[in-house]
Amino acid sequence: MQPRKKTYYGVSIGILMVNTTFQRYIGDIGNAMTWNFPVQYKIVHDAVPSKMTDLHNASLLEPFKRAADELIAAGVDGITTTCGFLSIYQRELADHCSVPVATSSLLQVPMVERLLPTGKRVGIMTYNGDVLNGPYLDAVGIAQDTPVAGIPQDSNFVRWIKEGDTSVTYETLKSEVVETARRFVAAHPQIGAIVLECTNLAPFSHWIAEATGLAVYDTVTMVNTFQASLRPRAYPMF
């Protein structure tokens, strides 16, 4: 097979970024210190936070296709994104791109369901629970009756993202996220594991797991698995 021509080498993961200005803490997909391997970012300038929960009404597919094409032409071996609502484009982007695509941490939900005993369900925590339904779930094989909890839309967490308010502290965000997780699990005792749709929830995965006693899957668990498949480890013979 003829080697693929690239501009740069050694970068397996290309990340399509929503155009944001809020603080991205370590653990967030948009903080390069989250990763133990090189990543390459590409901002999709039309994709501002206010549009990301309205993709069922107004398409941003073409800008994401163009940005993916640029990353692939330059040298990445796989494409992911900084917004879990892009699950709605999983099939279209996978069909369009010449490398594997993992749009959303929601891709993990069908797998995690099969890890749980009969009677237990996956619970999804999301940026906006009023919107995460219909095509966003159908596109990645998630049942519509899956329990979903959104961060309150009047919270500091939502304002932090929508307005790029860098004055909101880590501790404030952590407190709101953990309280949402506690209430979610209390309301749905059948939940046996949690998947975080929102990539910006991942810095708080440890605290969610501590507070609920449940396994937590997020964008970091997905991208680490994705990268490991693109660059499998070489093992010694003995």
Side-chain angles (χ1 to χ4, degrees):
M1 181 183 294
Q2 194 76 357
R4 193 173 124 220
K5 293 181 179 179
K6 302 180 179 184
T7 300
Y8 48 71
Y9 290 78
V11 182
S12 49
I13 298 291
I15 301 175
L16 300 175
M17 285 204 72
V18 176
N19 188 4
T20 61
T21 56
F22 59 86
Q23 171 70 44
R24 289 182 178 269
Y25 295 99
I26 297 175
D28 189 297
I29 191 171
N31 187 321
M33 292 178 69
T34 298
W35 311 109
N36 293 323
F37 43 82
V39 297
Q40 183 71 33
Y41 294 102
K42 178 70 179 176
I43 298 170
V44 181
H45 291 282
D46 293 338
V48 295
S50 61
K51 293 182 178 180
M52 300 314 296
T53 56
D54 196 41
L55 298 175
H56 54 295
N57 291 321
S59 178
L60 288 174
L61 179 57
E62 292 307 313
F64 275 94
K65 282 182 177 180
R66 289 194 295 270
D69 287 342
E70 289 183 34
L71 283 173
I72 294 164
V76 305
D77 300 312
I79 294 290
T80 190
T81 84
T82 65
C83 181
F85 277 85
L86 287 161
S87 62
I88 198 170
Y89 296 154
Q90 176 60 39
R91 175 46 50 207
E92 289 88 345
L93 285 174
D95 285 345
H96 174 78
C97 293
S98 59
V99 301
V101 175
T103 53
S104 172
S105 60
L106 294 174
L107 286 162
Q108 299 169 108
V109 171
M111 178 196 75
V112 177
E113 281 185 334
R114 283 152 183 80
L115 303 180
L116 299 177
T118 301
K120 288 294 185 181
R121 302 289 307 274
V122 173
I124 300 171
M125 285 182 61
T126 176
Y127 173 77
N128 189 331
D130 295 331
V131 180
L132 191 69
N133 51 46
Y136 299 101
L137 302 183
D138 287 342
V140 286
I142 300 173
Q144 291 292 328
D145 65 349
T146 299
V148 173
I151 304 297
Q153 292 301 287
D154 61 352
S155 64
N156 289 291
F157 184 94
V158 169
R159 182 168 57 82
W160 168 63
I161 291 174
K162 270 189 177 178
E163 300 176 12
D165 186 351
T166 55
S167 71
V168 182
T169 67
Y170 179 93
E171 287 301 321
T172 296
L173 298 169
K174 171 186 164 185
S175 176
E176 290 183 342
V177 168
V178 169
E179 182 58 25
T180 300
R182 284 198 179 107
R183 290 181 179 179
F184 186 32
V185 173
H188 298 275
Q190 76 274 31
I191 291 175
I194 295 172
V195 173
L196 307 181
E197 168 277 319
C198 181
T199 64
N200 316 119
L201 289 170
F204 312 104
S205 293
H206 171 83
W207 309 111
I208 294 170
E210 273 208 342
T212 63
L214 299 176
V216 177
Y217 298 80
D218 57 23
T219 188
V220 177
T221 59
M222 183 193 73
V223 173
N224 279 332
T225 301
F226 189 36
Q227 193 272 343
S229 71
L230 296 172
R231 295 288 173 86
R233 179 181 166 190
Y235 298 96
M237 291 177 62
F238 300 103

